[in-house]
Amino acid sequence: MRTIKRIALALVIIGAINWGLIGLFKFDLVASVFGGQGAFLSRVIYALVGLSGLACLSILFNPVEEVEVDTNHQSYRNLNYDTEFGEETDFSKLRESSNEDSVEKKSPENKNRNSTKEKK
């Protein structure tokens, strides 16, 4: 099934390029390669591109497939989780000391002390 989807996608891309050429330059590449729009081979290509577009609708509505991880690859053998699962730093002490500093700065006694220091 995967091969069919790739072939369908390739044909849709060919159709998109052909439509882009028609829109921009009024040049039908499929018709010029296979002998005009009425030629049997041109009609077959147009039909295959149309069917491929319908087949690619399934790609549009399918959920995204998960990528399989190759666990035998060298880079996956020695994973380093030190930062992810290591010891966490205790920031609560830091927070407490910063709160005490801010309380000291806000108290009226400290304001008077600071203002007298500034005057000297």
Side-chain angles (χ1 to χ4, degrees):
M1 190 67 174
R2 195 173 196 179
T3 306
I4 293 173
K5 285 184 179 181
R6 286 183 183 245
I7 292 170
L9 187 59
L11 286 170
V12 167
I13 291 170
I14 290 169
I17 291 170
N18 193 48
W19 275 109
L21 290 172
I22 291 170
L24 294 173
F25 305 112
K26 296 182 184 178
F27 176 70
D28 190 350
L29 181 64
V30 173
S32 66
V33 170
F34 295 108
Q37 287 184 337
F40 178 72
L41 284 176
S42 293
R43 292 177 51 215
V44 168
I45 298 296
Y46 293 139
L48 287 174
V49 168
L51 291 173
S52 297
L54 293 175
C56 285
L57 282 175
S58 67
I59 296 172
L60 180 66
F61 294 110
N62 280 344
V64 177
E65 297 176 7
E66 293 185 21
V67 177
E68 294 181 22
V69 177
D70 182 15
T71 56
N72 295 327
H73 194 268
Q74 179 69 22
S75 66
Y76 294 109
R77 288 186 187 161
N78 299 323
L79 294 177
N80 185 0
Y81 291 113
D82 290 344
T83 57
E84 188 173 350
F85 297 111
E87 274 188 42
E88 292 184 12
T89 308
D90 185 18
F91 291 110
S92 62
K93 294 178 183 176
L94 239 172
R95 192 175 297 142
E96 289 172 3
S97 65
S98 66
N99 286 340
E100 290 173 4
D101 291 342
S102 63
V103 168
E104 287 179 11
K105 289 179 183 177
K106 290 180 182 177
S107 67
E109 295 170 358
N110 289 335
K111 285 184 181 179
N112 291 336
R113 283 186 213 157
N114 289 338
S115 62
T116 55
K117 287 180 183 176
E118 290 175 4
K119 288 179 184 177
K120 292 179 181 180

